Amino acid sequence: MKRFATLLRPICAALLLTAALAPAATLAAQPAAAAHAADNPAAHPNFTVRVVGKGQPVLLIPGLTCPGAVWDETVARYQQQYQCHIVSLAGFGGEAAPASTDNLLLNVRDQLLTYIKTQKLQRPAIIGHSLGGFMALWLSATQPEAIGPLVIVDSLPFMSAIQNPNLTAEMAKPMAEGMRQQMSRGPMPAAQQRQMVASMITDTARQTVAARWGRLSHPATVGQAMYDMSTTDLRQDIARIQQPVLVLGAWAGYKQFGSTKESTRAIFEQQYTKLPQHRIEMSEAGRHFLMWDDQQWFFAQTDAFLQQYAPAKAKAKNPARTKNS
């Protein structure tokens, strides 16, 4: 158990945002939402959606403790070309906590699939960060015909198996339960939180914003989300995904744990081996929040991918398989 906790420390450092620092800076202003009268928020109590822009639909799903505002700069870039559906999960970053945390991420998955269907979104692209990337994979593996191309930002199909590829979801449960109980009790010490956020984000102002979101998040919801993700293994399920996938990985923030670009890329390649159409790209210097930390590179990669696999374009029935470079 103790060894397992040590092995999980790098990825936990990349995902935990459950405590606060000193009073944070004001969050970035959000662009005005487009009219979306057909939506029924009561049908998806586990998340809210803000819709901005026109064009083919793109869902943007944030990571643990982050609201949809983490995508503000991404939305500003793409709203002239795409209709951006910006998701904020209940209990994260100041959003009201869900009525129940039972089957939390499963409920989010099913409600998102229903949202896509009721809104008549035709194969929307999905950009997901961390937990949001995991959710994007789960959505596409569950209903491949409903989902378009995916951009996965520093996320894996099975977080718990980073160091031990033979680990199963059942084997991961004891450690995941310990994390759930610890996180549900409340925030960690501020000094530990500062160190953790610094491993994920380079810019100090952005560190403060992300930490504030952590403080505003509901501890039991965050703990359950972490448990669900830690005990759900999608490594085999992703074989069902029919659409192209761009995986963007970070490694620089994990140097303190002995990681290198090569060793981190090997973990990504191992976990995504069953995914039919994918390309893995590793940032040279960006940390976990790649859309903030290596923004020019993030946009260059995402721009090219969305242009190549734009939802509006007709796709061949048997697109060419893309190998890892």
Side-chain angles (χ1 to χ4, degrees):
M1 183 77 69
K2 189 172 182 180
R3 180 173 180 272
F4 187 36
T6 301
L7 296 176
L8 274 180
R9 193 175 296 134
I11 194 64
C12 291
L15 291 174
L16 294 175
L17 278 171
T18 58
L21 299 176
T26 302
L27 300 183
Q30 297 183 359
H36 197 221
D39 188 23
N40 176 20
H44 47 82
N46 283 83
F47 60 86
T48 60
V49 184
R50 183 168 58 92
V51 183
V52 178
K54 297 180 180 180
Q56 295 300 313
V58 176
L59 267 66
L60 297 105
I61 309 176
L64 197 73
T65 80
C66 293
V70 75
W71 296 114
D72 278 355
E73 288 154 300
T74 304
V75 171
R77 186 177 185 89
Y78 292 129
Q79 63 182 344
Q80 300 303 319
Q81 304 165 268
Y82 301 100
Q83 184 184 67
C84 299
H85 295 248
I86 308 114
V87 175
S88 292
L89 299 187
F92 288 2
E95 295 286 318
S100 171
T101 60
D102 292 346
N103 299 313
L104 182 67
L105 292 191
L106 183 64
N107 286 336
V108 171
R109 185 201 71 177
D110 291 347
Q111 290 171 27
L112 279 169
L113 289 171
T114 299
Y115 176 85
I116 291 168
K117 181 179 179 180
T118 58
Q119 298 307 305
K120 297 180 169 54
L121 304 184
Q122 298 299 312
R123 289 182 174 270
I126 303 179
I127 304 175
H129 173 237
S130 195
L131 182 150
F134 173 86
M135 183 59 63
L137 294 170
W138 206 5
L139 290 167
S140 192
T142 303
Q143 290 189 14
E145 71 287 350
I147 308 299
L150 308 179
V151 178
I152 307 299
V153 185
D154 209 30
S155 188
L156 295 168
F158 188 36
M159 180 188 68
S160 297
I162 287 177
Q163 294 288 343
N164 177 11
N166 296 318
L167 194 77
T168 65
E170 190 65 29
M171 292 165 61
K173 285 182 178 180
M175 181 61 192
E177 178 59 34
M179 286 193 296
R180 174 168 61 179
Q181 292 181 13
Q182 181 177 2
M183 296 168 72
S184 297
R185 285 195 289 267
M188 67 182 66
Q192 184 179 355
Q193 174 67 9
R194 282 193 293 270
Q195 182 181 8
M196 191 168 291
V197 174
S199 75
M200 295 183 284
I201 303 166
T202 303
D203 182 76
T204 55
R206 293 188 187 273
Q207 290 174 13
T208 304
V209 171
R212 180 172 185 257
W213 288 335
R215 183 182 70 208
L216 294 173
S217 295
H218 183 242
T221 302
V222 176
Q224 185 63 47
M226 192 71 175
Y227 177 88
D228 290 350
M229 186 163 54
S230 299
T231 58
T232 304
D233 184 355
L234 300 179
R235 289 175 296 178
Q236 301 299 319
D237 297 344
I238 60 176
R240 297 196 293 268
I241 294 176
Q242 299 174 359
Q243 300 303 321
V245 180
L246 173 64
V247 179
L248 303 178
W251 70 275
Y254 315 138
K255 285 182 182 179
Q256 61 184 307
F257 303 108
S259 297
T260 65
K261 180 180 177 181
E262 292 72 25
S263 66
T264 308
R265 183 184 180 90
I267 293 170
F268 276 82
E269 290 176 343
Q270 186 177 63
Q271 290 230 350
Y272 283 101
T273 188
K274 298 289 187 181
L275 183 60
Q277 301 179 71
H278 74 281
R279 188 175 83 249
I280 297 171
E281 299 290 348
M282 302 296 297
S283 170
E284 289 297 330
R287 299 185 179 184
H288 183 55
F289 283 67
L290 285 170
M291 63 285 203
W292 283 357
D293 228 48
D294 197 356
Q295 192 170 88
Q296 185 176 0
W297 177 84
F298 167 77
F299 282 141
Q301 294 288 335
T302 306
D303 287 355
F305 180 76
L306 291 180
Q307 288 168 10
Q308 183 177 5
Y309 299 108
K313 292 181 180 179
K315 295 182 174 64
K317 291 184 179 180
N318 295 302
R321 179 185 175 117
T322 303
K323 297 285 188 182
N324 287 341
S325 57

